[in-house]
Amino acid sequence: MLRIIYYRWKRLIRDKANTFWILLFPIILGTFFHIAFSNAAASENMETIPVAVILSDDAYGDALQSTCDSLATGEEPFLDVTYCDEEKATALLEDKEIVGMITSGKQVTLTVSGNMTNQSMMQSILESFVNEYNMYQTVLIDIAENHPEQLQTAVSEMTNDIEYNETASLSRNPDQNPLTQYFYNLLAMTCLFTAVGGVSVACDNQANLSDLAMRRSISPTHKLKTIVGELIASVLYEFVFNLVGFAYLALVLKIDLTSRLPLTLLTMFLGCAVGTTLGFCIGCIGRMDRGSKQGLVFAVTMPLCFLSGLMFGNMMILIENHVPILNRINPASLLTDCFYRLSQYHTLTRYACNMITLVILSIAFCLLGFFMTRRKKYAQL
């Protein structure tokens, strides 16, 4: 058995296609993911809103100026304020150099342009700011007129943030970037791509597909022993290469994937077993050559990865709402859910169910492959 494993490793090392899909492709795709998601995260940061402020020569103008000045300071100010008259403010708004025009008074007013639909979010934020300012201003004016002795207390209370509820997260990692989900999908895809190695095991044991299998067909070694040894070697080899890709994502790209690390590695190992046995099962189908069967592997695994959310993040949720049985039998979805639950859930009940299902799938793929290769005979070679 050890000799079989040793020689299978030597053949796998020489298999350049397998090395690319298991090692290089996940690293390349993971790097692209990291670049794309970093840019997406940067674009979500709040930008400073340019506004023009028209002040009146009274207490209302002084109060608005004081507020705007405080919001226009700091490393990431909320407002970029230009104080000017109405004529200049209108010109700036027409030239789209500002998002809105704020005018002081007993009730502060906001003027925006209907031709700036691309700035609708900033306009909505400005509207919320003006509405809140007017609410506070009205309250303070009422207190100043009726209860002036309480004015200072009211100002102090309004400047303090009051929390009436206590936030308690049910997640183990509430601060995790939601885009990390795509890297869980990437790990699941990498595990399933080990099916390429499983196809090689199948083809190397079919005498009509390889010269090596011809010699094996007349050797005294039992075919089942050979296949089992080569499957074990393939799973171990693919797992080692998956570890390299995993280390690159976790240590170089700094993706948060190391939660409950022993169980995460166990999940990856079982994922490699499922992928390899799936490839072995596919490789035992029909009399197609090795290239055609490897193409069939990708024709099967890529739709499974799509259904798990690799290309569309909410796909698993949509399937769960309409056809939940697919999430229970799709190995890519099961692996993705395992990684997610290890990171976010305190309990491991669902994780254990997923792992048991993966074990059953792996055994089923093995048995199907053995059944299709059992007692195959050839009229001539």
Side-chain angles (χ1 to χ4, degrees):
M1 182 68 74
L2 292 178
R3 184 176 293 274
I4 293 173
I5 293 175
Y6 170 72
Y7 283 111
R8 169 50 54 178
W9 268 63
K10 291 185 68 175
R11 287 185 60 80
L12 287 170
I13 291 173
R14 296 169 184 168
D15 191 342
K16 296 180 180 179
N18 182 69
T19 302
F20 172 79
W21 289 111
I22 302 304
L23 178 63
L24 298 181
F25 182 74
I27 289 177
I28 295 171
L29 187 57
T31 302
F32 286 153
F33 274 7
H34 181 67
I35 295 172
F37 295 156
S38 296
N39 293 336
S43 65
E44 291 177 356
N45 293 334
M46 179 61 66
E47 298 180 4
T48 301
I49 304 176
V51 296
V53 178
I54 305 168
L55 299 175
S56 56
D57 296 328
D58 51 23
Y60 298 118
D62 294 339
L64 180 60
Q65 183 176 7
S66 177
T67 301
C68 291
D69 287 344
S70 65
L71 296 175
T73 58
E75 295 181 358
E76 297 181 358
F78 174 59
L79 298 177
D80 179 11
V81 182
T82 301
Y83 297 106
C84 57
D85 56 25
E86 184 176 356
E87 182 178 354
K88 183 178 180 180
T90 303
L92 291 173
L93 189 60
E94 291 176 351
D95 294 338
K96 299 182 180 181
E97 296 183 18
I98 59 174
V99 175
M101 181 173 63
I102 300 175
T103 305
S104 66
K106 190 171 183 179
Q107 284 290 303
V108 172
T109 60
L110 172 66
T111 304
V112 297
S113 173
N115 297 323
M116 298 175 63
T117 54
N118 59 325
Q119 301 292 350
S120 59
M121 178 63 71
M122 287 188 174
Q123 290 175 346
S124 298
I125 294 173
L126 274 181
E127 183 180 8
S128 298
F129 161 69
V130 169
N131 290 337
E132 186 173 357
Y133 181 89
N134 283 329
M135 179 185 68
Y136 284 152
Q137 180 172 264
T138 301
V139 171
L140 289 175
I141 290 174
D142 181 68
I143 293 175
E145 291 178 350
N146 300 304
H147 303 281
E149 72 282 358
Q150 299 294 330
L151 183 60
Q152 186 60 43
T153 302
V155 172
S156 299
E157 291 295 331
M158 287 183 177
T159 55
N160 292 330
D161 292 331
I162 301 175
E163 295 185 2
Y164 297 97
N165 300 306
E166 180 181 354
T167 301
S169 176
L170 299 179
S171 171
R172 293 184 68 250
N173 193 2
D175 298 326
Q176 186 181 65
N177 189 333
L179 296 177
T180 304
Q181 174 75 22
Y182 286 96
F183 291 94
Y184 296 150
N185 292 115
L186 179 60
L187 289 177
M189 181 194 72
T190 305
C191 291
L192 291 189
F193 274 5
T194 60
V196 176
V199 168
S200 296
V201 172
C203 293
D204 288 343
N205 286 279
Q206 296 181 63
N208 61 322
L209 296 180
S210 72
D211 295 336
L212 176 62
M214 291 182 187
R215 294 192 294 271
R216 286 178 173 175
S217 64
I218 59 174
S219 71
T221 305
H222 196 283
K223 179 181 288 188
L224 180 61
K225 179 180 178 180
T226 301
I227 292 176
V228 170
E230 293 196 336
L231 285 176
I232 292 173
S234 295
V235 172
L236 294 175
Y237 178 86
E238 311 290 3
F239 177 63
V240 170
F241 271 55
N242 270 267
L243 287 181
V244 176
F246 177 82
Y248 175 79
L249 295 177
L251 302 179
V252 179
L253 299 184
K254 306 297 183 182
I255 308 300
D256 185 11
L257 301 173
T258 57
S259 180
R260 288 172 170 163
L261 185 59
L263 290 178
T264 299
L265 297 182
L266 176 62
T267 304
M268 289 180 59
F269 180 80
L270 186 53
C272 291
V274 172
T276 302
T277 54
L278 172 62
F280 171 68
C281 182
I282 293 175
C284 295
I285 297 175
R287 300 180 178 180
M288 297 179 290
D289 59 22
R290 185 188 302 261
S292 299
K293 291 183 177 181
Q294 288 179 345
L296 183 59
V297 162
F298 295 110
V300 172
T301 56
M302 290 310 297
L304 295 179
C305 293
F306 170 77
L307 294 176
S308 73
L310 180 64
M311 297 79 170
F312 180 63
N314 292 328
M315 181 56 68
M316 278 187 65
I317 299 176
L318 292 176
I319 293 176
E320 188 67 27
N321 292 333
H322 296 89
V323 196
I325 186 63
L326 289 180
N327 285 338
R328 306 295 181 270
I329 61 175
N330 179 1
S333 297
L334 292 169
L335 288 169
T336 300
D337 194 45
C338 282
F339 292 129
Y340 178 75
R341 290 182 179 278
L342 285 176
S343 174
Q344 298 295 328
Y345 283 73
H346 294 281
T347 60
L348 297 177
T349 304
R350 178 67 175 273
Y351 168 80
C353 292
N354 290 342
M355 294 290 281
I356 292 172
T357 304
L358 289 170
V359 170
I360 293 173
L361 288 175
S362 183
I363 294 174
F365 292 145
C366 271
L367 293 178
L368 285 174
F370 291 150
F371 179 78
M372 286 185 283
T373 58
R374 181 174 176 266
R375 296 183 178 178
K376 272 193 175 181
K377 297 184 181 296
Y378 305 94
Q380 61 180 6
L381 295 173

